[in-house]
Amino acid sequence: MDFDAYAKTAVDLVNVRLDTLDDLRALFADDREWMRESVADKEMAVFRRAQRKLRDVFEAGAAGRDGDAVAELNVLLETFPVQPRISGHDAGDWHMHVTSRGASASAEYLAGAAWGLGVWLCEFGSARFGVCADERCGNVYLDTSSNNCRRFCSERCATRSHVAAHRARKKAAVDEVAALPSTAVAPKAPVPVGR
Ligand SMILES: [Zn+2]
Ligand SMILES: [Zn+2]
């Protein structure tokens, strides 16, 4: 795993629903099977708390509060210290892995998430932390677009939102014509009603 992959584990955690222990287990990828097996019910509270704090980091970055994003991440880094280790899946493919100094799934996952997000911030800046512009969604994302213009967490949210905006504009145009004094405009054809 590189720091990018660790940063994505922070995104995954913020965007997941944490109602049951199974929700939490689903968060762990296949190469983290030991976490799935060992994670305990009492760790739910730790994950939920970290989830809120990580969301704060994304909201601060997205709102231009760079200093807050850094301060909040520093608190997380202090709470979940990492133990770096050089690792290679194939010989010669050396890269850094981070583990926690404890042995629990929560300590390990959260250490990696905070570290990855911290390195990501130093590399790309907190302005590239995003919260989906669709209010019904609220998912967070890392904006890797070339001009930092991404507004939605996914293609699905972007499409849904564009369709809604298009309908709203169409309706506004119809309402505007209907509101004009009858002498001002005499439409030749009936005004279509947007649906
Ligand atoms: Zn690796
Ligand atoms: Zn979304």
Side-chain angles (χ1 to χ4, degrees):
M1 259 165 108
D2 56 12
F3 77 88
D4 215 44
Y6 283 107
K8 289 198 178 83
T9 66
V11 174
D12 292 344
L13 173 58
V14 177
N15 291 347
V16 80
R17 273 180 74 105
L18 284 184
D19 293 335
T20 66
L21 195 57
D22 280 338
D23 294 338
L24 188 54
R25 288 201 180 101
L27 184 65
F28 306 133
D30 288 340
D31 59 342
R32 299 178 145 199
E33 209 175 329
W34 73 267
M35 289 191 190
R36 244 184 253 162
E37 280 156 14
S38 70
V39 71
D41 224 351
K42 63 176 197 287
E43 290 180 272
M44 282 294 280
V46 182
F47 273 100
R48 287 203 186 103
R49 206 158 42 237
Q51 185 182 47
R52 278 196 299 277
K53 290 193 181 298
L54 285 168
R55 174 173 287 282
D56 287 345
V57 171
F58 278 90
E59 285 178 353
R65 290 184 284 113
D66 185 45
D68 290 347
V70 169
E72 281 157 10
L73 256 179
N74 272 337
V75 171
L76 281 162
L77 287 166
E78 210 174 311
T79 312
F80 303 104
V82 296
Q83 176 69 62
R85 185 183 171 80
I86 301 168
S87 187
H89 305 282
D90 303 313
D93 165 35
W94 302 125
H95 57 277
M96 287 294 234
H97 271 204
V98 295
T99 57
S100 68
R101 298 199 187 126
S104 68
S106 54
E108 176 102 1
Y109 188 97
L110 297 170
W115 181 81
L117 203 57
V119 178
W120 210 93
L121 182 148
C122 296
E123 188 84 7
F124 303 111
S126 73
R128 284 182 169 274
F129 292 163
V131 181
C132 185
D134 187 330
E135 282 159 11
R136 289 163 299 178
C137 171
N139 277 358
V140 302
Y141 58 85
L142 297 165
D143 187 350
T144 52
S145 65
S146 56
N147 46 359
N148 194 15
C149 65
R150 185 164 158 197
R151 292 177 55 231
F152 297 95
C153 72
S154 62
E155 214 36 65
R156 205 171 134 257
C157 278
T159 307
R160 193 173 54 189
S161 175
H162 286 145
V163 169
H166 179 72
R167 281 183 186 155
R169 268 198 306 276
K170 222 163 131 185
K171 184 179 182 309
V174 169
D175 290 351
E176 208 170 289
V177 171
L180 286 172
S182 54
T183 51
V185 69
K188 290 192 179 81
V191 176
V193 176
R195 309 197 98 246

